[in-house]
Amino acid sequence: MSDLLIRRADVLQITGDKHTPSASILRDHDIVITGNRIERIVPTGIDPSQFRDVIDAAGLLAMPGLINTHAHVPMVIFRGLAEDVNIDRWFNDFMWPLESNLEPDDVYWGTLLGFAEMLESGVTTTADHYFFMDRAAHAVEKIGARALLAWAIFGSQGHDKIRETADWVRDFQGAAGGRIRTWMAPHAPYTCDDDFLRASVEAAKRLNVGIHIHAAETPQQTQSSLEKRGQTPIQVLQQTGVFEVPTILAHVLGATPSDIEIMAKVKTGVAHAPKTYMKLAMGAAPLLQFRAAGVPVGLATDGAVSNNTLDIWESLRLMPMIQKMTTGVAENLPIPEALYIATRESAQVIGMGDQLGSVEPGYLADLILVDLNGMHHQPLHSITASLVYNTRASDVRTTIVNGQVVMRDRQLLTVDKAEIAAEVRARVNRLAQRTPAKRIQVYNP
Ligand SMILES: [Zn+2]
């Protein structure tokens, strides 16, 4: 008896390398899942009676579960509270005063809410960066997602906080049957001094994990780092040893050409969250330069206070459009490259390029079934064009993580959505209080 058969699906295949990828469709195939792995993919015809569970996917597209390479998932509890402000006011007048209200249970319920939204939109793995991550891990375990969790810490919290989060990294590594991995997360070079960064690297090396950090988020951050420290943020990370472990760098809009040379020589990837950059008027990232240098790029949403949703389809759509618009070259970031970034390259950014981001035998069974029959897809001349430019989060019908069906025909099976929404609503009055004198940090990069 095998575990799960997905019958009669069309299967998205992304092949080739990042510079010359090709996207194609295997028509009418069966996918056999055994345990948490994809066992084989063959033309339709397998006898379904030999399986514990069968999903008929006729007319649906099977593709890799999407990966969100940088988020602050519990921030969904604050969404809509910081609108039409620049990045300085976003941090100093809104986000950091709001987060002074945060309690551990807010993170638990916020994580459930955010992951419910993401599983419903086909995101199966998220690299998350936030506080009280022991509570977040319990929520991820319950809801059935895969996550690379990182507990954000500031230099102002002192070295005890590094030891405390290192213990958490050790204790939660491989939790939820292997669905949870844990990394260290000093917040950013402008909120952590050199000693704090070095001590974080020592902890990461001892635990054999990577570091998830914000870096050179804007050109202004690069400029002020040069003025204050005589180094760019990327040079600070190099000097303090951060690049001696694998890293995820969030945003990096302020990378200089020599920064990109540094990044190309180390094991790093860039998390790219274009909606945040547009809303906070941060500018455009040098994505084409990153990729030309061999630095992998992954799709991200960032938190919902700057992105409003955790809809990675929006990131997929905005990414090529911003690159086309800002370079004035409509041929830049064509559809196969955008899909390569959304799948294989995003998996590479979180250090799982050999296990996620492709529907192929031996890979982890994280996949989604997408319904391209809506009017906004018809007459569907090009499936791949529809995936990048037409698909809505609600087109995802079924979501499978680690071989387990977590959403089936739009029904989330692991949690009670009404309970989550009620728990979060019960917290909104307290969470919406802003006391700037109580803010947890000051943004002054
Ligand atoms: Zn962030």
Side-chain angles (χ1 to χ4, degrees):
M1 208 72 176
S2 285
D3 293 324
L4 175 60
L5 172 66
I6 299 170
R7 296 183 73 205
R8 307 197 290 173
D10 293 333
V11 185
L12 177 69
Q13 301 281 285
I14 308 288
T15 52
D17 66 28
K18 67 196 295 186
H19 300 298
T20 52
S22 74
S24 60
I25 311 294
L26 286 176
R27 297 279 182 181
D28 220 15
H29 272 60
D30 290 349
I31 303 167
V32 174
I33 293 169
T34 303
N36 65 347
R37 300 267 167 189
I38 297 167
E39 187 188 304
R40 57 202 164 107
I41 303 164
V42 295
T44 288
I46 291 183
D47 175 6
S49 68
Q50 300 304 307
F51 290 82
R52 266 186 261 278
D53 191 8
V54 178
I55 295 174
D56 188 348
L60 301 177
L61 180 79
M63 64 179 285
L66 296 168
I67 296 169
N68 189 347
T69 62
H70 175 77
H72 312 285
V73 175
M75 284 172 79
V76 290
I77 57 181
F78 299 116
R79 72 170 124 207
L81 288 177
E83 298 296 329
D84 303 321
V85 291
N86 66 25
I87 190 168
D88 294 66
R89 290 199 64 214
W90 188 88
F91 273 120
N92 287 330
D93 295 349
F94 291 88
M95 214 50 252
W96 282 341
L98 287 167
E99 284 176 338
S100 70
N101 296 317
L102 203 64
E103 295 175 1
D105 270 358
D106 301 333
V107 167
Y108 177 78
W109 290 106
T111 301
L112 285 177
L113 176 62
F115 275 87
E117 180 187 351
M118 286 193 287
L119 290 172
E120 285 193 321
S121 64
V123 173
T124 49
T125 299
T126 298
D128 204 38
H129 193 280
Y130 210 57
F131 316 113
F132 304 120
M133 296 306 271
D134 50 339
R135 304 295 292 139
H138 290 301
V140 169
E141 177 164 27
K142 178 176 171 58
I143 204 163
R146 191 182 301 284
L148 172 54
L149 301 179
W151 192 317
I153 50 177
F154 300 107
S156 59
Q157 293 174 300
H159 287 231
D160 281 349
K161 200 71 188 173
I162 298 174
R163 285 184 280 276
E164 198 181 302
T165 56
D167 287 349
W168 167 82
V169 165
R170 179 197 62 209
D171 294 346
F172 282 79
Q173 193 65 262
R179 283 186 283 112
I180 292 175
R181 291 160 64 222
T182 49
W183 276 17
M184 295 297 291
H187 172 263
Y190 65 85
T191 52
C192 301
D193 63 27
D194 289 8
D195 278 351
F196 193 85
L197 290 172
R198 283 197 190 93
S200 299
V201 172
E202 286 315 309
K205 283 183 176 172
R206 181 165 50 77
L207 294 158
N208 196 24
V209 299
I211 286 180
H212 186 168
I213 189 167
H214 299 89
E217 295 173 295
T218 62
Q220 292 76 13
Q221 282 183 16
T222 299
Q223 193 53 42
S224 63
S225 179
L226 282 167
E227 284 160 15
K228 288 178 181 171
R229 276 163 140 153
Q231 296 177 319
T232 67
I234 297 298
Q235 288 171 327
V236 170
L237 298 184
Q238 185 190 35
Q239 296 293 319
T240 53
V242 171
F243 288 138
E244 291 166 22
V245 299
T247 50
I248 297 173
L249 305 182
H251 317 317
V252 212
L253 274 60
T256 65
S258 57
D259 286 339
I260 295 174
E261 283 175 30
I262 293 171
M263 292 162 65
K265 292 190 186 115
V266 298
K267 196 167 179 225
T268 193
V270 173
H272 181 70
K275 189 172 167 189
T276 286
Y277 313 151
M278 296 175 81
K279 278 198 79 194
L280 296 181
M282 290 163 64
L287 270 202
L288 305 179
Q289 291 87 331
F290 289 146
R291 297 188 79 250
V295 177
V297 172
L299 290 180
T301 59
D302 211 354
V305 188
S306 52
N307 196 82
N308 296 69
T309 69
L310 300 176
D311 179 353
I312 208 84
W313 297 97
E314 279 193 328
S315 305
L316 170 58
R317 188 156 43 244
L318 291 169
M319 170 185 65
M321 291 200 293
I322 293 175
Q323 294 299 316
K324 291 170 193 301
M325 186 181 74
T326 54
T327 59
V329 180
E331 290 81 0
N332 278 338
L333 270 195
I335 287 163
E337 286 186 41
L339 289 173
Y340 192 94
I341 289 170
T343 56
R344 290 182 181 274
E345 207 164 318
S346 291
Q348 200 185 341
V349 167
I350 62 162
M352 296 187 76
D354 55 351
Q355 304 207 66
L356 292 177
S358 181
V359 180
E360 67 180 278
Y363 273 54
L364 287 165
D366 288 18
L367 45 97
I368 60 177
L369 301 176
V370 185
D371 184 349
L372 301 176
N373 296 296
M375 285 299 108
H376 54 291
H377 293 292
Q378 298 307 313
L380 200 60
H381 285 296
S382 166
I383 288 176
T384 55
S386 248
L387 287 174
V388 175
Y389 291 112
N390 311 28
T391 302
R392 299 170 184 167
S394 54
D395 292 336
V396 176
R397 289 216 63 81
T398 292
T399 301
I400 296 163
V401 183
N402 214 31
Q404 300 296 313
V405 183
V406 293
M407 181 178 77
R408 191 167 191 142
D409 286 331
R410 299 295 302 158
Q411 293 302 310
L412 210 47
L413 303 176
T414 47
V415 290
D416 179 348
K417 287 199 290 181
E419 181 194 19
I420 296 169
E423 283 283 351
V424 171
R425 268 200 309 275
R427 292 158 196 275
V428 292
N429 285 340
R430 171 174 52 80
L431 289 169
Q433 302 304 314
R434 282 191 286 141
T435 315
K438 263 176 55 192
R439 63 193 165 200
I440 57 169
Q441 281 287 313
V442 177
Y443 181 76
N444 180 24

